[in-house]
Amino acid sequence: MAAQTEESDCAREQTKAEQDVDQVRQRAARDQQRLDSGAITSPKDLENLQHEIASLAKRQGDLEDIVLEVMERRESAQERVAELTERVGAVQGKVDDATARRDAAFEEIDGEVATVTKEREVIAGAVPADLLGLYDKLRQQQGGIGAAKLYQRTCQGCRQELAITELSEIRAAAPNTVVRCENCRRILVRTAESGL
Ligand SMILES: [Zn+2]
């Protein structure tokens, strides 16, 4: 935007400078006509007129230099605008690309959520109501994790190693007994890797 503003400022400056050149050129032409017409006869007036024509010519040259200088500035502003416009286009392309990838990821995640939700419904339907109730309550209390694997004598919910007495109790418990971590109270899931 700054480059575009500079470019349009230069354009205005150029128009103004060209108008200045035109004015001086017209005035010099009028003076020249008067000189050529022979209507002015006084030597003093003739000298004044010639003097004015000469100074107008110099003034016109100075103003034309200004026009050239402004045109040069305008040209580099135009180049800058073109370069920046190209860069904006490239960045916008990256933004579009990232947005498309994000949207695709959202879609994938939504699909996964739907699948997992359905799977959970099926599994939850097979769990006794009181156990599911306990699990849901623990899950709320324990940051979203109501049950944890017992892995190598350690509760994977709170990462605490279980005491020997607790481990013997769990070892002695029937497979369908719900056992819980003494430390965090989460339901412990026993596997072959529990270290019992
Ligand atoms: Zn625990």
Side-chain angles (χ1 to χ4, degrees), residues 155 158 181 183-184:
C155 164
C158 65
C181 171
N183 181 51
C184 69

Side-chain angles (χ1 to χ4, degrees), residues 3 6-7 10 72-82:
E6 198 191 329
E7 199 278 326
C10 285
E72 270 168 30
R73 268 196 288 134
R74 188 182 176 187
E75 206 170 295
S76 47
Q78 280 167 336
E79 277 167 20
R80 185 107 181 99
V81 168

Side-chain angles (χ1 to χ4, degrees), residues 22-37:
D22 257 9
Q23 270 179 1
V24 171
R25 194 187 288 133
Q26 281 168 20
R27 201 170 145 193
R30 272 199 307 273
D31 284 356
Q32 191 63 49
Q33 258 178 354
R34 281 173 68 206
L35 190 70
D36 295 345
S37 71

